[in-house]
């Protein structure tokens, strides 16, 4: 099952939208012959794309067609680069580990400390991100949750083959629902009724 999990879907650093990389994005994607920056108060407000108008008998005419490029507010850019981990509460750590390791095939991140916090827990790899299982009281009700996990708060994992996971869950006798939209995705719950989505993605 571990092989089904996709690598992290992260944005390459040269495409992050921040005040230092907007210019590099423009340089890499916008041809200087076709685009001109629009400035206001010495701040880049976007780019204008130069497009060729309809050809008349007399001559070609260049028209300006504005392309919107959202300005970045320097004060609000704190450098978010991706998801590090998701915390999931459990009543019994061993029971949860049996599900996440033996059914879903996730591996423990041995490098993460499990004795530094005042409660028991474990870190499980999902690609390059993690799930942090925490043995703590769960404020959510165990019963009365929606049958379909997609209508509940849930954690979504990207995988390569939904049909293989379906067979794994069938063999383990674990119930699940399929995506209501028809896309390749499956929803199930862990032993503490935490909803999990597994969506199929291309490599």
């Amino acid at each position: 099952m571990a092989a089904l999990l996709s690598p992290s879907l992260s944005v390459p650093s040269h495409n992050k939208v921040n005040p230092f990389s907007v210019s590099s994005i423009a340089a890499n994607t916008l041809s200087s012959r076709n685009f001109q920056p629009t400035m206001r108060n010495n701040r880049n407000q976007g780019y204008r794309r130069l497009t060729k108008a309809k050809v008349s008998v007399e001559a070609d005419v260049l028209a300006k067609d504005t392309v919107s490029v959202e300005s970045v507010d320097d004060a609000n850019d704190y450098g978010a680069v991706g998801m590090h981990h998701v915390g999931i509460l459990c009543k019994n750590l061993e029971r949860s580990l049996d599900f996440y390791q033996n059914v879903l095939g996730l591996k423990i991140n041995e490098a993460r400390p499990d004795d530094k916090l005042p409660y028991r827990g474990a870190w499980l790899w999902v690609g390059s991100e993690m799930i942090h299982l925490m043995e703590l009281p769960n404020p959510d009700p165990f019963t009365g949750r929606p049958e379909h996990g997609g209508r509940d708060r849930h954690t979504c994992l990207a995988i390569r083959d939904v049909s293989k996971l379906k067979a794994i869950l069938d063999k383990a006798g674990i119930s699940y629902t399929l995506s209501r939209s028809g896309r390749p995705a499956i929803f199930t719950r862990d032993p503490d009724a935490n909803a999990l989505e597994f969506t199929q993605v291309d490599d």
Side-chain angles (χ1 to χ4, degrees):
M1 174 60 198
L4 299 180
L5 299 175
S6 75
S8 171
L9 303 177
S10 58
V11 178
S13 59
H14 64 276
N15 283 338
K16 293 173 190 171
V17 179
N18 59 50
F20 301 103
S21 62
V22 167
S23 59
S24 64
I25 294 173
N28 290 332
T29 60
L30 307 179
S31 168
S32 60
R33 295 177 302 171
N34 299 325
F35 291 83
Q36 291 181 345
T38 57
M39 308 292 290
R40 182 180 300 166
N41 296 329
N42 292 324
R43 290 180 63 88
N44 190 338
Q45 299 296 310
Y47 286 82
R48 293 185 185 278
R49 183 175 61 193
L50 303 179
T51 59
K52 186 173 291 187
K54 292 182 179 179
V55 177
S56 66
V57 175
E58 291 77 20
D60 292 344
V61 179
L62 288 179
K64 290 184 178 180
D65 180 22
T66 301
V67 173
S68 175
V69 176
E70 185 177 351
S71 298
V72 176
D73 185 345
D74 296 355
N76 291 330
D77 178 30
Y78 54 89
V81 295
M83 189 73 70
H84 184 269
H85 72 272
V86 173
I88 294 181
L89 301 180
C90 63
K91 184 176 181 180
N92 182 278
L93 182 61
E94 284 72 27
R95 182 181 66 171
S96 293
L97 284 174
D98 181 61
F99 172 78
Y100 283 94
Q101 287 186 282
N102 299 330
V103 177
L104 298 184
L106 303 185
K107 304 299 183 183
I108 289 181
N109 180 359
E110 302 288 355
R112 298 293 296 184
D114 58 5
D115 58 352
K116 303 295 185 183
L117 296 171
Y119 53 84
R120 300 203 308 148
W123 298 81
L124 298 160
W125 283 116
V126 182
S128 61
E129 284 77 42
M130 290 171 285
I131 287 175
H132 185 196
L133 292 176
M134 300 178 289
E135 191 180 84
L136 289 169
N138 195 333
D140 291 334
F142 189 81
T143 59
R145 311 302 292 267
E147 178 185 3
H148 181 55
R151 301 181 70 109
D152 199 355
R153 63 177 65 88
H154 60 276
T155 299
C156 181
L157 286 71
I159 65 174
R160 296 192 181 98
D161 194 332
V162 163
S163 62
K164 285 187 178 180
L165 176 59
K166 183 176 179 293
I168 290 169
L169 296 177
D170 284 336
K171 183 177 180 180
I174 296 173
S175 61
Y176 55 82
T177 56
L178 301 177
S179 171
R180 302 296 169 85
S181 67
R183 62 190 173 84
I186 192 168
F187 294 80
T188 190
R189 293 184 181 273
D190 74 0
D192 293 274
N194 296 302
L196 300 170
E197 175 185 355
F198 300 84
T199 185
Q200 183 171 307
V201 297
D202 296 329
D203 288 335

